[in-house]
Amino acid sequence: MALKSWVESANLPGCDFPLENLPYGAFSHGGERRIGIAIGDQALDIRACIEEELLGPLSSEIAEACSASALNALMALGTAAWSALRRQLTSLLGSHAAPETQEKARRHLLPMQSVQMEVPAQVGDYTDFYASIHHATRVGKLFRPDNPLLPNYKYIPIGYHGRASSIVASGTEIRRPSGQVKPASSAEPAFGPSRSLDYELEVGIFVGLGNQIGAPIPIAEAEQHIFGLCLVNDWSARDIQSWEYQPLGPFLAKSFATTISPWVVTLEALAPYRVETPVRTQGDPEPLPYLKERDPSRAGIDVTVEVLLQSEKMREQKVPASLLSRASLRDLYWSVAQLVTHHASNGCNLRPGDLLATGTISGSDEGSEGCLLEMKHRAHALTLPTGETRTFLEDGDEVTLRGYCQGPGLPRIGFGQCVGRIGAAIPS
Ligand code: MN
């Protein structure tokens, strides 16, 4: 049933990037930045394929957008253009492509290991939501044991404006931030390196087609504005956060760095994995009309997301990274369409390349907490195979996020990895 590619590595079981996926990214190679797609363990240079007329008939807008060094222009073209390009790429890389076409296209494949993956688009604005009710409940319990969820939670997707300038590609070292902290035991705050550095396991939503300022995006059209999804690690300094967050929310506790995975997986590739949005618990309010999904039976997406950690000691002892948690995008209280529609509901204009993130994705059980902060509820400290324990991240720790969809008779649609290693604080 699975589509075969003449790129052999794309047909291997467990491969994140089979022919059915074809995620977009931007990479540097030989001093030039290009956009490409992932196929097996290779990156295909799209511009080179178009220049050699290997991609069949494409509009001049698409050809021009594909010769850019970031995805913004392609994102701006909208669903018809994205589908047209995807069809051509599928036929180029499929096993039915003519042998001479395969021969020519093969020259535009670059082993992924040989290219430097970049942030795929120029991100103008970055917004982070709080769409996991399990995360919101567990974090809320730390502050309000009897009343963890605030009264607005089930009505309105909560979010804050993040910082776009410090979004970095997977693999970039993350320097431990310094900031103002005030432990409960001290009368006065002090400035210094964060002692409570955390990760947050999230999925990012890249905006494709934008909207005019003043023109909201109806829920039925929201997905036409989504170019695709990636993994996001919203690094968070909890000690800085707890002192600065009232009354205006997170600021320097999160703005120092956000890591994203390099490949953007399209909604077309994710189509086989559409699922019902979580049934709201009895007594939960219906979404207000502007947020009411037209087809709740396929508003969710079943992407499994995981966090792995490897300490410096584990690396020295060649101990593989430990799985810390596993959850699914399907368990969010708000769908990706609801996040887009809510964001634009006041007339705020979204632009191609804007990034919205879901907020920490957690499930209800132990082992599905999407950040270390939530593990405070566990009876025992997190212990690594080396015997080391963790409350928060230490220097040298490497955090890897993974995401994938798989199911019986369906192709695996992988997101690849989102990796960041903690470096010592910048001396102040
Ligand atoms: Mn977050």
Side-chain angles (χ1 to χ4, degrees):
M1 188 66 204
L3 297 174
K4 290 274 186 216
S5 172
W6 50 264
V7 181
E8 285 303 325
S9 58
N11 305 324
L12 298 174
C15 174
D16 269 351
F17 307 120
L19 186 59
E20 292 91 339
N21 192 348
L22 304 182
Y24 293 95
F27 61 85
S28 291
H29 182 75
E32 255 201 293
R33 195 181 279 219
R34 299 281 184 105
I35 66 175
I37 55 136
I39 178 80
D41 58 5
Q42 307 285 309
L44 180 77
D45 181 337
I46 301 179
R47 176 175 132 191
C49 292
I50 290 176
E51 282 171 356
E52 226 185 308
E53 296 180 351
L54 299 178
L55 274 178
L58 285 173
S59 72
S60 56
E61 283 98 350
I62 296 175
E64 201 176 313
C66 289
S67 67
S69 57
L71 292 173
N72 301 69
L74 180 60
M75 289 168 158
L77 294 180
T79 52
W82 306 335
S83 295
L85 180 58
R86 181 178 167 82
R87 271 195 304 275
Q88 296 295 348
L89 287 164
T90 303
S91 100
L92 174 65
L93 293 166
S95 51
H96 298 303
E100 58 272 29
T101 309
Q102 293 182 25
E103 200 52 47
K104 287 178 182 166
R106 201 179 287 280
R107 294 200 289 270
H108 306 307
L109 288 174
L110 297 158
M112 261 183 221
Q113 283 171 328
S114 75
V115 301
Q116 170 73 43
M117 295 307 299
E118 309 284 356
V119 173
Q122 282 154 5
V123 181
D125 277 296
Y126 162 48
T127 301
D128 195 20
F129 284 95
Y130 198 53
S132 164
I133 195 167
H134 304 297
H135 171 68
T137 303
R138 254 192 231 106
V139 170
K141 267 186 195 156
L142 295 171
F143 302 101
R144 300 171 299 277
D146 301 329
N147 183 26
L149 275 189
L150 291 168
N152 57 5
Y153 191 84
K154 291 179 177 177
Y155 289 95
I156 187 166
I158 302 294
Y160 68 95
H161 284 280
R163 181 82 194 164
S165 68
S166 51
I167 293 173
V168 297
S170 178
T172 307
E173 185 189 49
I174 303 301
R175 296 295 290 265
R176 179 177 297 274
S178 290
Q180 239 192 71
V181 301
K182 189 191 142 328
S185 55
S186 313
E188 301 288 331
F191 187 90
S194 168
R195 303 301 345 147
S196 313
L197 186 55
D198 202 352
Y199 55 80
E200 290 190 340
L201 166 63
E202 309 196 9
V203 163
I205 303 156
F206 267 108
V207 173
L209 195 62
N211 58 308
Q212 292 296 319
I213 189 165
I217 298 174
I219 187 92
E221 292 167 22
E223 291 196 2
Q224 295 166 30
H225 293 264
I226 298 176
F227 181 75
L229 308 183
C230 67
L231 301 169
V232 173
N233 186 339
D234 175 26
W235 303 99
S236 300
R238 302 302 183 189
D239 43 2
I240 298 174
Q241 188 178 356
S242 63
W243 173 234
E244 74 172 7
Y245 87 103
Q246 287 177 315
L248 290 185
F251 179 32
L252 301 182
K254 286 166 177 285
S255 63
F256 60 95
T258 303
T259 306
I260 65 172
S261 61
W263 296 108
V264 185
V265 178
T266 63
L267 291 189
E268 276 190 280
L270 293 167
Y273 293 97
R274 299 311 296 256
V275 290
E276 205 176 352
T277 38
V279 180
R280 292 180 168 227
T281 316
Q282 199 107 59
D284 278 5
E286 282 285 300
L288 293 181
Y290 80 103
L291 287 176
K292 208 166 161 59
E293 294 279 6
R294 295 300 177 265
D295 184 4
S297 74
R298 45 178 291 114
I301 312 174
D302 189 13
V303 184
T304 301
V305 285
E306 298 174 342
V307 184
L308 298 99
L309 187 143
Q310 190 184 43
S311 68
E312 199 166 331
K313 200 168 176 184
M314 289 166 74
R315 269 195 306 283
E316 283 165 11
Q317 299 183 3
K318 305 210 175 342
V319 178
S322 289
L323 181 72
L324 300 192
S325 77
R326 178 181 289 142
S328 174
L329 184 66
R330 71 181 298 170
D331 292 332
L332 295 184
Y333 199 77
W334 300 104
S335 70
V336 291
Q338 285 171 325
L339 299 181
V340 167
T341 289
H342 182 65
H343 203 310
S345 62
N346 63 346
C348 170
N349 53 324
L350 305 179
R351 295 177 297 183
D354 282 0
L355 184 67
L356 319 186
T358 54
T360 307
I361 302 173
S362 298
S364 56
D365 305 329
E366 186 165 309
S368 67
E369 305 96 331
C371 63
L372 291 171
L373 180 67
E374 287 180 50
M375 294 186 196
K376 281 194 172 187
H377 291 289
R378 292 186 180 183
H380 304 285
L382 176 67
T383 306
L384 301 173
T386 45
E388 300 169 278
T389 57
R390 286 292 180 275
T391 315
F392 289 107
L393 297 170
E394 301 289 337
D395 291 352
D397 284 356
E398 185 171 274
V399 178
T400 299
L401 311 184
R402 289 198 302 223
Y404 54 88
C405 308
Q406 57 187 22
L410 295 174
R412 179 183 165 102
I413 303 295
F415 282 68
Q417 297 193 332
C418 176
V419 183
R421 190 183 294 182
I422 307 303
I426 300 157
S428 53

